[in-house]
Amino acid sequence: MTETMNHPTRIDAAPKIGMVSLGCPKALVDSERILTKLRADGYAMSPDYAGADVVLVNTCGFLDSAKEESLEAIGEAMAENGRVIVTGCMGNEAEAIRARFPDILAVTGAHQYEQVVSAVHDAAPAARGPFVDLVPQPDIKLTPRHYSYLKISEGCNHSCAFCIIPSLRGKLSSRRIDAVLREAEKLVAAGTKELLVISQDTSAYGVDVRHEERQWHGETVRTHMTDLARELGQLRTGDDMAPWVRLHYVYPYPHVDQVIPLMAEGLVTPYLDIPFQHASPSVLKAMKRPANEAKVLSRLAKWREICPDITVRSSFVVGFPGETEDDFRYLLDWLEEAQLDRVGGFRFEPVEGAEANTLPGAVPEAVKEERYARLMEVTERISAAKLQAKIGRTLPVIIDEIGEPDEDGDIGATARSQSDAPDIDGHVYLRNVSPALVPGDIAMASVEDADAHDLFGFIPE
């Protein structure tokens, strides 16, 4: 076949980009945005090092252990491919990265999308054909199709002694609420059944713009967590169901109370991820965190009155400088009273540049380990009791994975209840499910057993 009228018979193969994404869900969203822009610019994605023209490593720089993991990932990418661009939180330490890996192509900081894309263009220019721009490209997702992270802001206005997020990602910068809602609407239309709202401080959404008002579908909405939650609860999936809306990183400001009735009404998933960090007033003061643990207990009781099925998850740090045995016992007593549903524990770890590094009263590593073990013992006991109480109930679950048939032809599935966020909470393991079930389906499951973290059950016919 010959060419006529100067029309090409082919489009040159697109350069391929590999991606290693480390750290929190907020970094994962950054990776999705970078890859979406690169694909729109004519690049293809590579699932492995060997097929990539350039490898992007999106780093985490929050803890020293996370930095070491990032450096190991960079080293692996350099060894396997050799053409590497580094971005993300650890990108702020470009000199240290280049000292260890002098042949790195480029280093950029957190959420510097334009700089990353420009560095890729320089390293592997895309061969643009005349028809590339005529086909709209969907956004790239690095999560399964049925759930999506929805980032509503960047940065943080807090100055916690153990944290360097403001120096990495800057002060609070809220996205326009109409832009957030438009993205959420688009995600749900594309098959998302669960929206996970994330930021550094979800409760502070809109503070930096004085909760400015925007128009959305003919209505006025404020740039505010409660307005956002209410509007997200109005969305509908292709089968006319409300998507699950899960709120993460919610500081317990007074206006959080206004979200609980939305959960009771079914507009928002009855789940709050609140970073309490500790309960002892003296430790909270040293951390530069609000020390209102008694008031929080009364609010928890009120929330449970309004929405009995609410799940409250949190994380706590043990071994913070100056933490005494009395402080730690105070935390354990507080947890016994609070009866939180899901708890994560962390041993204090110095972070370069954090104020906590200079505080007196360093806790020995052996004491940290002993306190961590005691914390986990208490929280697992509480979790086990709460899950045992769900035996016999029928709960909505979202299907994550479908297994292969066993020797009897039975098919199992891994799901999550509304109390379980992906990757951080438990699962609901289902037996003998229908072959017609697919990931993303929301079904009612009967709970027949439980352990300290997970539920076990089946979907009644």
Side-chain angles (χ1 to χ4, degrees), residues 230-241:
R230 186 180 299 108
E231 294 300 323
L232 291 175
Q234 304 295 332
L235 297 174
R236 291 296 178 268
T237 63
D239 48 7
D240 199 33
M241 293 181 64

Side-chain angles (χ1 to χ4, degrees), residues 364-384:
E365 292 301 318
V367 176
K368 289 182 190 178
E369 290 297 329
E370 186 263 346
R371 290 178 182 171
Y372 176 79
R374 288 160 63 194
L375 175 73
M376 290 295 98
E377 181 181 356
V378 169
T379 57
E380 285 187 9
R381 173 169 46 78
I382 294 171
S383 175

Side-chain angles (χ1 to χ4, degrees), residues 17 43 55 61 116 127 133 153 164 173 194 204 228 233 250 281 330 342 350 352 384 407 410 425 433 445 447 451:
I17 306 299
Y43 291 84
V55 175
V116 178
D133 292 327
S153 65
I164 57 171
S173 177
E194 179 179 17
L228 175 66
V250 177
Y330 190 105
R342 300 292 195 187
E352 185 176 347
E407 61 273 11
D410 291 339
D425 293 321
V433 302
V447 180
D451 60 20

Side-chain angles (χ1 to χ4, degrees), residues 252 274 276 292-301 303 334 338 340:
I274 300 180
F276 288 122
N292 57 354
E293 75 293 340
K295 188 175 181 181
V296 167
L297 289 172
S298 65
R299 291 174 71 197
L300 282 171
W303 293 349
W334 187 90
L340 301 183

Side-chain angles (χ1 to χ4, degrees), residues 244-393:
W244 290 8
V245 177
R246 196 180 295 277
L247 301 176
H248 289 273
Y249 312 110
V250 177
Y251 283 70
Y253 303 148
H255 67 260
V256 173
D257 295 349
Q258 301 168 22
V259 177
I260 311 305
L262 301 180
M263 296 180 176
E265 294 172 25
L267 294 177
V268 178
T269 302
Y271 177 101
L272 276 182
D273 174 15
I274 300 180
F276 288 122
Q277 307 297 0
H278 214 282
S280 165
S282 60
V283 175
L284 288 170
K285 183 177 180 181
M287 288 179 167
K288 294 191 172 180
R289 305 276 293 182
N292 57 354
E293 75 293 340
K295 188 175 181 181
V296 167
L297 289 172
S298 65
R299 291 174 71 197
L300 282 171
K302 185 65 175 178
W303 293 349
R304 287 165 175 154
E305 287 179 17
I306 297 170
C307 184
D309 284 334
I310 189 171
T311 292
V312 180
R313 111 164 307 277
S314 191
S315 55
F316 296 86
V317 177
V318 299
F320 190 81
E323 181 192 58
T324 64
E325 178 62 21
D326 285 344
D327 290 325
F328 181 69
R329 287 179 180 170
Y330 190 105
L331 169 60
L332 295 184
D333 291 343
W334 187 90
L335 285 168
E336 294 281 10
E337 188 167 354
Q339 290 287 298
L340 301 183
D341 302 85
R342 300 292 195 187
V343 172
F346 300 91
R347 309 159 189 83
F348 173 76
E349 183 179 329
V351 180
E352 185 176 347
E355 182 181 335
N357 299 348
T358 63
L359 294 176
V363 177
E365 292 301 318
V367 176
K368 289 182 190 178
E369 290 297 329
E370 186 263 346
R371 290 178 182 171
Y372 176 79
R374 288 160 63 194
L375 175 73
M376 290 295 98
E377 181 181 356
V378 169
T379 57
E380 285 187 9
R381 173 169 46 78
I382 294 171
S383 175
K386 283 182 167 284
L387 294 181
Q388 283 288 323
K390 295 183 179 182
I391 295 176
R393 293 187 59 187

Side-chain angles (χ1 to χ4, degrees), residues 54-264:
V54 176
V55 175
L56 299 179
V57 180
N58 192 359
T59 58
C60 179
F62 183 58
L63 297 173
D64 287 348
S65 57
K67 291 180 182 180
E68 189 56 39
E69 181 185 5
S70 294
L71 290 171
E72 289 176 3
I74 296 168
E76 179 179 324
M78 287 295 292
E80 296 291 333
N81 182 281
R83 294 176 56 77
V84 177
I85 293 172
V86 174
T87 187
C89 290
M90 200 179 172
N92 290 31
E93 302 182 30
E95 291 184 7
I97 293 172
R98 288 192 180 281
R100 187 155 168 178
F101 305 104
D103 294 330
I104 285 284
L105 296 177
V107 181
T108 71
H111 61 90
Q112 294 181 348
Y113 310 126
E114 292 183 5
Q115 291 92 324
V116 178
V117 171
S118 177
V120 173
H121 286 173
D122 292 342
R128 308 293 300 259
F131 307 121
V132 170
D133 292 327
L134 301 181
V135 182
Q137 296 285 345
D139 291 347
I140 288 179
K141 287 176 86 276
L142 299 178
T143 57
R145 181 172 180 260
H146 60 279
Y147 67 80
S148 302
Y149 290 104
L150 183 67
K151 188 194 283 191
I152 63 172
S153 65
E154 195 59 80
C156 180
N157 287 343
H158 293 285
S159 55
C160 301
F162 54 81
C163 183
I164 57 171
I165 289 294
S167 65
L168 293 177
R169 292 181 173 262
K171 292 293 188 180
L172 176 69
S173 177
S174 299
R175 295 178 60 197
R176 287 177 48 153
I177 190 167
D178 52 345
V180 173
L181 291 171
R182 189 173 299 111
E183 179 182 349
E185 188 176 63
K186 182 179 177 182
L187 287 168
V188 171
T192 292
K193 301 290 185 69
E194 179 179 17
L195 291 165
L196 300 111
V197 179
I198 58 170
S199 67
Q200 262 76 42
D201 182 357
T202 295
S203 306
Y205 177 58
V207 167
D208 55 316
V209 293
R210 299 185 179 183
H211 301 302
E212 66 180 6
E213 296 181 345
R214 296 282 180 178
Q215 290 297 303
W216 175 248
H217 291 332
E219 301 290 334
T220 300
V221 292
R222 297 176 303 156
T223 308
H224 193 283
M225 184 179 74
T226 54
D227 286 39
L228 175 66
R230 186 180 299 108
E231 294 300 323
L232 291 175
Q234 304 295 332
L235 297 174
R236 291 296 178 268
T237 63
D239 48 7
D240 199 33
M241 293 181 64
W244 290 8
V245 177
R246 196 180 295 277
L247 301 176
H248 289 273
Y249 312 110
V250 177
Y251 283 70
Y253 303 148
H255 67 260
V256 173
D257 295 349
Q258 301 168 22
V259 177
I260 311 305
L262 301 180
M263 296 180 176

